[in-house]
Amino acid sequence: MMATTHALAGVVLAVVVAVVFPESAAAATPIPVLAAALGGLFPDFDLYAGHRKTLHFPVYFSALAVPAVAVAAVAPSTLTVSVALFLAAAALHSAMDALGGGLELKPWLGTSERAVYSHYHSRWIPPRRWIRYDGAPEDLLAAGLFALPTLYVFDGPIQLGVYAALGVSAVYVLLRKPMVVVAQTAVDAMPEHVVDRMPERFVEDFR
């Protein structure tokens, strides 16, 4: 799934907290909302180094989120709520990746059986392909659905941020497959010795 879809899904967690606990920091300040969005994005910071393995921890993020939520419930503050939302959103991201496509540059072909790595189980979790690939039309639909509660509950800068995320998502969906065509053309035009020096993950599907 797109990074923006994950970020919007994380923000939904902050929306739930703000609605259920209207006196909490999640309703009073945008910091917990930003923490939730960052938590939703954080696992994808490993995009260029062991993607969906280096920073994706479906079990361990969940295990860390449980005590963080407990601390936030017992001692609610901007800091504790933000930490809990960050970890919960990162756990949600890591788990959601198993519902998407595999870890390949042309995921619409369905050739990879690696969706997200579980360090706890020491194995790759296979893709369910409910959302066929990042940037698929259904991915944009999911982003829109995740955006709705945030647009309803919040206004101002948070609402503008959600609209910006949806705009980026829409552009990415339009460019997703054309970008692969451009990359394929570029790799085909490169001398073999140059291609050999590139990370295998970025060229393996183009050779």
Side-chain angles (χ1 to χ4, degrees):
M1 299 179 203
M2 296 181 288
T4 47
T5 302
H6 288 301
L8 291 168
V11 171
V12 170
L13 299 178
V15 171
V16 172
V17 174
V19 170
V20 177
F21 304 102
E23 302 302 319
S24 70
T29 170
I31 294 176
V33 179
L34 293 174
L38 182 59
L41 288 172
F42 179 74
D44 274 348
F45 288 173
D46 69 6
L47 183 62
Y48 298 104
H51 187 39
R52 297 195 192 171
K53 182 177 183 180
T54 305
L55 295 178
H56 285 62
F57 302 98
V59 175
Y60 294 141
F61 271 139
S62 300
L64 289 172
V66 172
V69 169
V71 170
V74 173
S77 69
T78 300
L79 176 61
T80 59
V81 172
S82 296
V83 170
L85 284 170
F86 177 93
L87 292 171
L92 179 62
H93 176 143
S94 300
M96 282 174 59
D97 271 341
L99 304 180
L103 188 65
E104 66 253 82
L105 297 176
K106 300 176 183 178
W108 45 86
L109 299 180
T111 57
S112 173
E113 289 304 311
R114 298 179 298 164
V116 63
Y117 191 80
S118 171
H119 293 80
Y120 178 80
H121 298 97
S122 298
R123 65 177 177 84
W124 285 92
I125 298 172
R128 296 336 191 250
R129 296 190 174 90
W130 294 1
I131 291 178
R132 293 167 296 159
Y133 57 91
D134 62 300
E138 61 268 27
D139 197 358
L140 181 59
L141 175 61
L145 292 176
F146 285 131
L148 288 177
T150 308
L151 293 174
Y152 180 78
V153 172
F154 294 108
D155 55 16
I158 293 176
Q159 194 174 76
L160 290 176
V162 171
Y163 282 126
L166 289 175
V168 170
S169 300
V171 171
Y172 182 77
V173 168
L174 290 174
L175 297 179
R176 178 63 171 97
K177 287 189 175 182
M179 285 192 302
V180 172
V181 174
V182 171
Q184 179 74 72
T185 303
V187 170
D188 290 344
M190 291 178 184
E192 190 64 27
H193 70 275
V194 174
V195 177
D196 288 340
R197 293 172 181 264
M198 299 177 68
E200 184 64 20
R201 161 171 151 66
F202 297 108
V203 296
E204 59 183 346
D205 287 353
F206 297 140
R207 306 177 79 171

